[in-house]
Amino acid sequence: MSSYTAAAKVYIVGAGPGDPDLITWKGRKLLAIADSVLYDHLANEHLLELTPKNCERIYVGKKKAVHAFPQEEICAMMIERARRGLTVVRLKGGDPFIFGRGGEEVEALADAGILFEVVPGVTSPLGIAAYSGVPLTHRDHTKVVTFVTGHDLDAIDWAKVGQSETLVIFMGIWAIRGIADAIMANGRSGNTPAIVVRWGTRPDQKTLTGSLATIADEIDKAHLKPPATVIIGEVVGLHEKLSWFEKLPLFGKKIVVTRAQDQAGELSGRLRSLGADAIELPVISIQPPEDSAPLDLAIAHLADYDWLIFTSVNGVRFFLEHLDRSPHDLRSLKAKICAIGPSTRRAIEDLHLKVDLMPAEYVAESLVAAFASEQLNGKRILLPRAAVARDVIPTELSKLGAQVDVVEAYRNVIPADAAARAQGIFSDDKKPDWITFTSSSTVDNTITAAGRDALNGVRIASIGPVTSNTVHKYGLAVDAEAKYYTLDGLIVALLEAG
């Protein structure tokens, strides 16, 4: 061990088989504190969202025969960063010690006197077993499993290895014809069930089944490319019965989520749980108001208001942030509270405040109708909201005799990288199946960032009629509209549209 005491630690972390939710809890925690992440082709890029904003992210490739950096340079990069005192995460697909060259990297770190730790991950066969209905062991079929790499056909004793009850072949689809011939030449029946799985556990998972004698032909016919894993054995016969992942209702659908980056995760996560490939395109960045003086003045006179209306979670959040920075607190609040939507209601109730009024439908018109039974003549109402919003609420409540003070609590701006991200998402060779809009701002900002023509051929799902009207303004059709103007309603609309 080196005497260099200032060196930080390098963590060799298994990213799992593809589904970002399958990384270990420890792996997630380490990504959250990383100064530098070196990640492979097989590590899901969604995992980089777990890293700090200022974290260095370096793609080091590791595709077959196409490496962004050679192995020696990857090791040198880890060592150099650790010696600078950085916390380094080497993020590797699957498990680092199952055909992942993790052993070589750890040896290099040990030789350099660098502190290291290995965090195991779910290796691809375990992911395939779970997501493809192929249990690697089964009391009625097999008690022996063999893992083997297939990239060097002549280096393996197929007479011995090929007789394993369940045989898992990593990196072997280019050589599978020769491998199958070698196994059959040594006595294994060509009728033995076989399956190949590409991108296991991901929304673009693809499976092909056949037999030991036919699986190479099936791969050729489908033009299947790496990364893929081949499993041979009687347990493969359970695939059709036990498969569940590819039967999820949104499996394989590419669905764009346009919410703000810090709010997209809820919808994206739920779409992924239904099998979709949720592609995040944040077209909104929630920023403080350009001029906070009107909001600060309203907070200074908070006790004078009879009603406080919140139309979004962001309105609650920014109102409270300004309140916290003021000389006042919630004890100044004497008003009744109105909220649009269950999410806004939950944000208020999280503050241990009661919601006195919530409209039946989560749009401005319904809120105005809910106030029809209230005596508003001479009442003062505070409405903290986005910089640009419809004027239905203040206009109609003023007609009922109320004095409505509308103050800018936050503003929606287009993120600087939205146009570049949109260009990649809407390229002609890989257009998504759906795009979801959760507000008029998401529609306007998407058109600004991507252009109207980018949405040609993409189905549109809207959270409600107000958002749909904005879609129609651009001459676009809405293919699914939520009946209930919530994320739940939006997901139900997607499921019903198919």
Side-chain angles (χ1 to χ4, degrees):
M1 181 68 71
S2 167
S3 61
Y4 189 86
T5 57
K9 184 181 283 189
V10 175
Y11 296 91
I12 311 294
V13 176
D19 182 342
D21 287 341
L22 294 181
I23 192 172
T24 63
W25 181 247
K26 187 169 187 176
R28 292 177 65 93
K29 291 194 295 183
L30 291 172
L31 285 171
I33 63 169
D35 297 310
S36 180
V37 175
L38 285 69
Y39 65 99
D40 282 351
H41 174 61
L42 296 179
N44 195 308
E45 289 193 12
H46 286 302
L47 293 173
L48 300 179
E49 297 165 10
L50 301 173
T51 62
K53 288 184 178 179
N54 60 348
C55 177
E56 177 188 44
R57 304 173 185 90
I58 304 173
Y59 173 68
V60 295
K62 306 298 287 182
K63 288 184 183 181
K64 178 179 173 63
V66 182
H67 295 176
F69 295 94
Q71 186 63 54
E72 295 77 11
E73 190 169 348
I74 293 171
C75 293
M77 291 163 70
M78 291 191 292
I79 292 166
E80 185 273 333
R81 281 158 177 76
R83 285 178 171 163
R84 282 197 276 129
L86 302 182
T87 297
V88 181
V89 170
R90 174 73 175 96
L91 192 63
K92 303 178 69 65
D95 179 89
F97 281 1
I98 304 288
F99 300 120
R101 302 189 73 172
E104 298 169 50
E105 295 180 359
V106 168
E107 279 191 286
L109 295 171
D111 290 343
I114 300 297
L115 295 174
F116 64 85
E117 188 172 329
V118 180
V119 180
V122 178
T123 190
S124 60
L126 302 187
I128 289 168
Y131 281 60
S132 299
V134 181
L136 298 181
T137 65
H138 190 290
R139 184 172 297 190
D140 296 334
H141 299 286
T142 179
K143 297 176 179 63
V144 178
V145 181
T146 299
F147 292 170
V148 61
T149 177
H151 76 277
D152 189 349
L153 175 64
D154 297 329
I156 305 297
D157 182 355
W158 296 107
K160 179 179 179 181
V161 169
Q163 304 310 309
S164 179
E165 290 177 320
T166 300
L167 180 62
V168 180
I169 305 171
F170 291 72
M171 300 170 285
I173 68 167
W174 293 132
I176 190 61
R177 190 175 300 278
I179 291 171
D181 288 345
I183 293 172
M184 289 186 290
N186 282 282
R188 189 146 193 186
S189 170
N191 294 324
T192 306
I195 189 172
V196 57
V197 183
R198 185 173 193 264
W199 287 126
T201 78
R202 292 170 38 135
D204 51 351
Q205 172 176 302
K206 184 174 179 60
T207 58
L208 296 173
T209 56
S211 66
L212 182 58
T214 66
I215 195 65
D217 291 334
E218 296 298 330
I219 291 170
D220 288 346
K221 281 190 292 185
H223 303 290
L224 202 68
K225 297 179 180 179
T229 301
V230 179
I231 302 177
I232 299 166
E234 295 303 322
V235 289
V236 173
L238 296 170
H239 160 70
E240 192 62 37
K241 180 180 180 180
L242 301 185
S243 176
W244 60 271
F245 182 53
E246 294 180 29
K247 296 174 183 177
L248 289 173
L250 295 178
F251 175 75
K253 301 289 187 183
K254 293 183 179 181
I255 303 178
V256 178
V257 175
T258 56
R259 303 186 85 198
Q261 188 163 3
D262 59 347
Q263 297 174 331
E266 180 183 2
L267 179 56
S268 296
R270 293 168 70 180
L271 291 172
R272 288 176 188 134
S273 72
L274 294 167
D277 181 7
I279 305 166
E280 294 185 5
L281 173 62
V283 296
I284 285 180
S285 176
I286 310 298
Q287 300 292 330
E290 287 188 309
D291 180 9
S292 64
L295 179 57
D296 294 333
L297 181 62
I299 288 173
H301 295 90
L302 193 57
D304 298 336
Y305 289 99
D306 300 288
W307 280 95
L308 178 58
I309 299 176
F310 289 111
T311 58
S312 70
V313 172
N314 290 320
V316 177
R317 171 190 157 197
F318 280 90
F319 176 83
L320 263 294
E321 288 180 359
H322 278 269
L323 180 63
D324 287 343
R325 290 196 291 269
S326 78
H328 307 278
D329 58 30
L330 287 173
R331 289 173 296 180
S332 300
L333 181 62
K334 311 299 181 187
K336 291 183 177 181
I337 300 175
C338 175
I340 287 187
S343 296
T344 306
R345 180 174 194 145
R346 283 194 299 271
I348 294 167
E349 290 176 342
D350 285 345
L351 302 169
H352 304 284
L353 295 172
K354 302 293 185 184
V355 173
D356 300 282
L357 185 66
M358 189 171 82
E361 294 185 344
Y362 313 133
V363 291
E365 289 81 0
S366 185
L367 183 144
V368 172
F371 268 106
S373 60
E374 299 289 334
Q375 178 51 255
L376 294 184
N377 194 40
K379 300 295 185 181
R380 294 193 64 188
I381 297 176
L382 176 60
L383 175 56
R385 65 177 192 180
V388 178
R390 298 164 69 223
D391 290 327
V392 173
I393 294 174
T395 299
E396 296 302 317
L397 294 186
S398 295
K399 291 178 182 179
L400 296 175
Q403 176 188 330
V404 183
D405 292 342
V406 180
V407 295
E408 180 184 332
Y410 64 96
R411 55 200 172 92
N412 298 324
V413 301
I414 303 177
D417 64 345
R421 293 178 70 161
Q423 185 176 5
I425 290 170
F426 295 106
S427 61
D428 290 335
D429 62 333
K430 55 175 182 178
K431 278 207 171 186
D433 300 286
W434 285 92
I435 185 167
T436 58
F437 292 125
T438 53
S439 68
S440 291
S441 296
T442 59
V443 181
D444 291 329
N445 292 2
T446 298
I447 298 299
T448 299
R452 182 203 174 283
D453 291 346
L455 301 187
N456 290 338
V458 180
R459 302 175 78 186
I460 294 174
S462 162
I463 201 167
V466 174
T467 302
S468 295
N469 287 339
T470 307
V471 173
H472 296 148
K473 179 181 73 175
Y474 292 101
L476 295 166
V478 173
D479 300 280
E481 180 181 284
K483 296 174 184 175
Y484 303 98
Y485 315 143
T486 63
L487 295 185
D488 283 338
L490 185 61
I491 290 171
V492 169
L494 282 165
L495 291 171
E496 290 178 347

